[in-house]
Amino acid sequence: MLPADPRYLGAQETAEGVNFSIWAAAAEKVELCLFDEIVKPDGSKSWHERKFELINQDGPIFHGYIPGVRAGQKYGYRIYGPWDPENGWRFNPNKLLIDPYANLLDGEFQYVPQIYGHQALDGNGNGDLAKMDTRDSSPFIPKSVVTKQYEPRSRRINTPWPKTVIYEAHVKGLTAFNLEIPENERGTYTALSHPTVINYLKDLGVTALELLPIAEFITEPAIEKRGRENYWGYNPLIFSAPHRAYASTEDPIEELRQSVSKLHDAGIEVILDVVFNHTAEGGVGGPTYCYRGIDSKTFYRRTHGDIYDDLTGCGNTIDVRRPFVVRMLIDSLRWWAQTIGVDGFRFDLAAALARGAQGIDGISAFSVAVTTDPVLRERKLIAEPWDTKGYALGAFPYPWREWNDNFRDAVRKYWLTSQKDDLREGVGSLATRISGSHDVYYYRGPTSSINFITAHDGFTMHDLVTYEEKHNEANQENNNDGSNNNNSWNVGIEGPTPEPFIEEVRKRLHKSLLASLLLASGVPMILMGDEIGRSQFGNNNAFTLPKGKKISELKGSDSFFGGWALNWQLNNRERELYESTRELLQIRSNFLSDVVKEFFKGESDLMNSRKDLAWFTNLGQEMTQENWEDSSLLTLSYYVEASENQGLLISYNASNSEIFFNLPESKWGNVYRSIFDSAENVSEYLPTILRPLDKTILRPHSVKVFLVSS
């Protein structure tokens, strides 16, 4: 075997063969294993394995060049070293290892004892953790695949943050019920860029499609044992290979590249949710398919010996204090950005990636590597600023943005839990959040806040106003999974009801929540289906589905399916919510997107005596300190200067009663034109023209928006 170029990790195809390189600093010996499929006379198939020892070594990198190998070749590694569990070493050459730099996998993951490095008795890994298993795992795990070299994607849209509207969606769930798409393409990468999908997103006002994880993932063994499978994808096998089950063609990489390109043609950015905080190998008793067999002590954080430091709730935590681990993650991000062409990343449990030796640190090795990389620093970077043992809102440096759970909680509490007298907090917290969370991002600007009320994890917006308790029984964890702190309100009846008054209040609340999100300073993120009232029937942890079932087979089954996918045939109620969302995003685009790039100052302009932001009582007078300290207050109005001659007046009423509101005096404007009311149907709403000091009615649980002209 010829020496390879150790500068490039993974499998690099050249004109005459393939260059193989793998980082394995503590290995004593590395074997490259090539697999060729053999078809027997009876039609059955098996694998022929050819082994090549990588005798060339450049520091921690083992490498070799094999002439004649082409794209499509299946391969893996067997790595030799000490079996010394007490000290954290679990090398086992009987276990075929996936290349962490692979861009494509082939084959199914099977839950059998052979996939474990220790002597396991069953597919869950129960057995003797101290003893090495000598059975071959290669028939039961996917093989890495050599891929061709793809031309890098360089086209970018670069939508400014103030004009960005994010739509969080699941690849399969977004299009599984879209009957305009050929059946074999529904729920795939191809379907993401179908004209109906693009038209839907564009018409709504979305500028960025954020996809739940699309890197190769598997179901956790315990979940598989219960007859369910992981739907969301937050259990990664490796970091740089598209999930093959989402492909409608034999080339998932090119299929995804083409779809991203078409979305770009339509002006829609693509953001990936990446899970770099842990892997599907779980704790020490989990399967061995890659990292544990290459170098368990480097890839995973430990408290000591063989005890993992679990900051993710998934059994392990990737150790970003290690230079090579940081390199691997940066290389992965670059691959997605340059080969696939994506525009940004949302980092799941990003606090686990910002942990140095002394805890969470916004200038950790990983954060610094991303923000100084010439490719990645130009992409949209979004942190989920917590992990299971720490919280770091505001800690991530520019150009990072952060999911702002303070916004989520303040808006939910105002509209929903404030209905209970003992839980009222007044309007101060709400005002801080909808004006951009200055207390958190005072030196970075309001677009550092990714505002959200709902996300994949938790209730949908429909369920927020329909359930006060989680209903996760279908997950088969005795309803013990999922958060118990939902800040939701069922309007007096748990779940669906034929009572028209209850349903009307719920619809109004839903539209008021949307208005609070879409008209606030910061960057709004909409959860797939919230624009039409998608329900998961009270399941606030809908990450699994019945094993082996297609989504189309589950539609309408409350106990198993819920609303895991988007409905494309809208009834009148769903159409009204959609039209309301579109109208609110149009208002944002027309009047707010240019003025929310910086914090409002709240100071009077010398020319017109108006403030760029002002808060009002129901009497049309500016709020006083006494008003702000009144915890019983459930109404709030505020004026935003949109241009020299126009502004918006937005009024909230979270109470159960109609409220008369006096419009402010003439210095704020001479004409008040109502342009949105969450208590009215958009298609039937007739705008009214009012004058300064006129009275207007704010209906219960509603938001009313006025365009104010000088």
Side-chain angles (χ1 to χ4, degrees):
M1 181 184 294
L2 300 172
D5 189 337
R7 294 177 300 169
Y8 304 103
L9 293 169
Q12 303 286 325
E13 185 185 37
T14 69
E16 298 179 349
V18 173
N19 186 33
F20 291 94
S21 297
I22 185 170
W23 183 97
E28 297 171 356
K29 174 183 172 182
V30 174
E31 286 180 340
L32 169 68
C33 306
L34 302 185
F35 289 86
D36 302 301
E37 191 174 59
I38 297 175
V39 180
K40 299 178 180 179
D42 62 0
S44 62
K45 297 179 180 179
S46 63
W47 292 101
H48 172 63
E49 179 178 355
R50 293 180 286 154
K51 297 180 181 180
F52 301 84
E53 182 180 351
L54 297 182
I55 60 175
N56 303 292
Q57 191 173 355
D58 185 5
I61 298 174
F62 290 77
H63 54 96
Y65 182 84
I66 303 184
V69 174
R70 310 308 303 153
Q73 175 68 56
K74 281 74 173 178
Y75 71 100
Y77 289 99
R78 298 186 187 275
I79 297 185
Y80 296 75
W83 176 268
D84 185 9
E86 287 188 7
N87 292 305
W89 297 117
R90 290 182 174 271
F91 289 100
N92 188 339
N94 302 291
K95 308 303 166 183
L96 185 73
L97 304 178
I98 297 169
D99 182 354
Y101 272 72
N103 298 135
L104 189 65
L105 298 184
D106 181 76
E108 297 297 323
F109 195 92
Q110 299 180 47
Y111 298 84
V112 295
Q114 290 92 326
I115 66 176
Y116 296 89
H118 63 275
Q119 287 189 1
L121 302 175
D122 55 30
N124 268 2
N126 295 305
D128 191 339
L129 293 177
K131 292 184 178 180
M132 185 174 77
D133 185 75
T134 59
R135 292 169 290 187
D136 181 17
S137 68
S138 65
F140 310 106
I141 71 166
K143 312 296 186 294
S144 307
V145 181
V146 176
T147 59
K148 67 180 182 181
Q149 299 297 308
Y150 293 85
E151 191 71 25
R153 297 290 197 197
S154 58
R155 184 180 175 193
R156 301 273 316 286
I157 297 175
N158 283 323
T159 303
W161 277 110
K163 296 182 181 295
T164 297
V165 177
I166 298 171
Y167 188 85
E168 187 196 41
H170 187 280
V171 169
K172 185 173 288 187
L174 179 60
T175 62
F177 294 158
N178 186 336
L179 301 182
E180 297 297 317
I181 299 175
E183 187 172 2
N184 67 308
E185 294 180 356
R186 295 172 200 163
T188 70
Y189 299 127
T190 296
L192 292 176
S193 59
H194 190 272
T196 57
V197 177
I198 288 176
N199 291 340
Y200 183 93
L201 297 175
K202 293 283 288 183
D203 181 66
L204 191 62
V206 168
T207 71
L209 178 62
E210 181 177 311
L211 299 174
L212 267 63
I214 64 171
E216 277 288 12
F217 64 88
I218 57 172
T219 296
E220 298 85 339
I223 292 172
E224 196 274 342
K225 186 178 180 180
R226 293 200 298 269
R228 301 186 69 80
E229 60 186 42
N230 190 308
Y231 174 63
W232 284 349
Y234 292 88
N235 197 45
L237 268 173
I238 54 175
F239 301 122
S240 304
H243 190 55
R244 194 153 192 167
Y246 292 160
S248 63
T249 67
E250 291 301 310
D251 189 348
I253 297 172
E254 186 59 33
E255 180 179 343
L256 181 56
R257 279 161 51 89
Q258 292 297 325
S259 216
V260 170
S261 181
K262 290 177 182 178
L263 286 162
H264 284 172
D265 289 343
I268 298 173
E269 293 182 306
V270 178
I271 299 171
L272 299 187
D273 195 334
V274 291
V275 187
F276 285 171
N277 56 76
H278 77 282
T279 79
E281 286 188 319
V284 293
T288 294
Y289 61 77
C290 184
Y291 312 95
R292 180 177 288 120
I294 296 173
D295 190 329
S296 180
K297 292 183 73 170
T298 292
F299 283 105
Y300 298 126
R301 291 178 67 107
R302 296 168 180 277
T303 56
H304 60 278
D306 207 26
I307 308 300
Y308 287 1
D309 188 7
D310 183 8
L311 304 169
T312 66
C314 300
N316 64 61
T317 306
I318 291 289
D319 195 347
V320 292
R321 298 169 298 183
R322 308 284 187 169
F324 171 72
V325 175
V326 172
R327 174 189 171 178
M328 178 183 70
L329 300 182
I330 296 299
D331 286 346
S332 174
L333 294 173
R334 274 177 160 261
W335 185 83
W336 289 107
Q338 295 180 303
T339 300
I340 303 300
V342 303
D343 304 276
F345 305 92
R346 179 263 184 188
F347 296 84
D348 183 61
L349 296 184
L353 302 174
R355 286 183 177 271
Q358 304 301 320
I360 300 173
D361 184 351
I363 54 173
S364 68
F366 180 74
S367 298
V368 170
V370 172
T371 54
T372 57
D373 185 275
V375 172
L376 302 178
R377 68 190 180 203
E378 300 300 323
R379 265 57 182 182
K380 285 183 163 65
L381 305 172
I382 302 171
E384 183 182 35
W386 52 80
D387 56 27
T388 61
K389 296 183 181 179
Y391 184 79
L393 184 69
F396 286 81
Y398 179 87
W400 290 75
R401 269 62 181 176
E402 298 173 339
W403 269 24
N404 188 349
D405 61 328
N406 285 354
F407 180 95
R408 174 198 66 194
D409 294 346
V411 174
R412 288 190 185 191
K413 288 178 180 179
Y414 171 74
W415 287 110
L416 305 175
T417 59
S418 65
Q419 305 304 318
K420 303 169 185 178
D421 293 342
D422 59 329
L423 296 178
R424 289 184 180 177
E425 297 181 353
V427 296
S429 178
L430 175 71
T432 299
R433 301 304 152 219
I434 61 178
S435 61
S437 294
H438 182 273
D439 58 332
V440 179
Y441 303 112
Y442 57 92
Y443 69 96
R444 288 166 52 191
T447 65
S448 293
S449 174
I450 303 298
N451 295 338
F452 70 105
I453 298 174
T454 55
H456 64 274
D457 188 3
F459 279 149
T460 65
M461 197 170 285
H462 172 279
D463 291 356
L464 271 182
V465 299
T466 308
Y467 299 91
E468 290 190 22
E469 304 293 335
K470 64 185 182 184
H471 297 271
N472 298 354
E473 291 81 5
N475 298 348
Q476 299 180 5
E477 296 184 39
N478 298 316
N479 208 35
N480 292 321
D481 61 311
S483 174
N484 294 316
N485 182 25
N486 296 295
N487 291 318
S488 59
W489 182 39
N490 62 16
V491 196
I493 297 176
E494 185 77 353
T497 175
E499 173 55 50
F501 173 76
I502 298 293
E503 285 302 303
E504 174 58 32
V505 173
R506 287 174 175 174
K507 183 176 74 171
R508 193 179 302 172
L509 282 168
H510 192 137
K511 292 165 66 175
S512 296
L513 288 166
L514 285 169
S516 302
L517 172 66
L518 302 180
L519 301 182
S521 289
V523 179
M525 185 187 79
I526 304 168
L527 171 64
M528 179 190 79
D530 276 354
E531 75 281 5
I532 61 170
R534 180 175 66 90
S535 175
Q536 293 171 175
F537 299 92
N539 192 322
N540 74 351
N541 191 33
F543 77 107
T544 66
L545 284 176
K547 181 181 176 182
K549 294 285 188 179
K550 296 180 180 179
I551 287 185
S552 58
E553 296 175 320
L554 300 167
K555 187 174 183 180
S557 173
D558 297 10
S559 61
F560 289 109
F561 175 68
W564 277 240
L566 187 69
N567 175 32
W568 286 78
Q569 288 75 49
L570 305 186
N571 59 31
N572 290 337
R573 184 181 188 279
E574 292 166 337
R575 174 59 60 182
E576 165 60 21
L577 289 172
Y578 177 90
E579 297 292 348
S580 296
T581 306
R582 182 173 65 174
E583 180 68 18
L584 288 165
L585 283 174
Q586 190 63 54
I587 293 171
R588 180 182 184 88
S589 176
N590 290 343
F591 305 109
L592 292 175
S593 61
D594 289 331
V595 298
V596 296
K597 63 184 67 174
E598 304 291 344
F599 285 115
F600 299 108
K601 296 180 180 178
E603 299 174 353
S604 296
D605 185 278
L606 294 177
M607 298 295 293
N608 56 32
S609 299
R610 291 195 302 268
K611 299 177 180 178
D612 58 359
L613 176 67
W615 308 90
F616 297 95
T617 68
N618 295 334
L619 299 177
Q621 300 172 347
E622 290 194 60
M623 295 272 285
T624 65
Q625 189 62 34
E626 183 179 358
N627 297 137
W628 287 118
E629 293 173 355
D630 183 357
S631 63
S632 67
L633 197 63
L634 286 177
T635 57
L636 180 68
S637 296
Y638 65 102
Y639 171 88
V640 175
E641 186 90 334
S643 67
E644 184 177 347
N645 299 310
Q646 287 186 319
L648 290 180
L649 180 68
I650 303 170
S651 298
Y652 292 176
N653 177 17
S655 74
N656 291 309
S657 305
E658 286 187 351
I659 300 293
F660 282 100
F661 173 55
N662 284 9
L663 296 175
E665 59 181 306
S666 59
K667 81 170 185 178
W668 300 100
N670 294 312
V671 179
Y672 290 79
R673 182 174 185 266
S674 62
I675 57 175
F676 179 84
D677 189 338
S678 65
E680 303 285 346
N681 287 338
V682 171
S683 60
E684 302 169 357
Y685 186 52
L686 297 177
T688 56
I689 304 297
L690 298 174
R691 301 294 179 183
L693 303 181
D694 282 353
K695 289 184 181 294
T696 187
I697 293 177
L698 303 180
R699 302 276 292 280
H701 316 295
S702 72
V703 173
K704 201 167 188 177
V705 182
F706 296 89
L707 177 60
V708 185
S709 303
S710 299

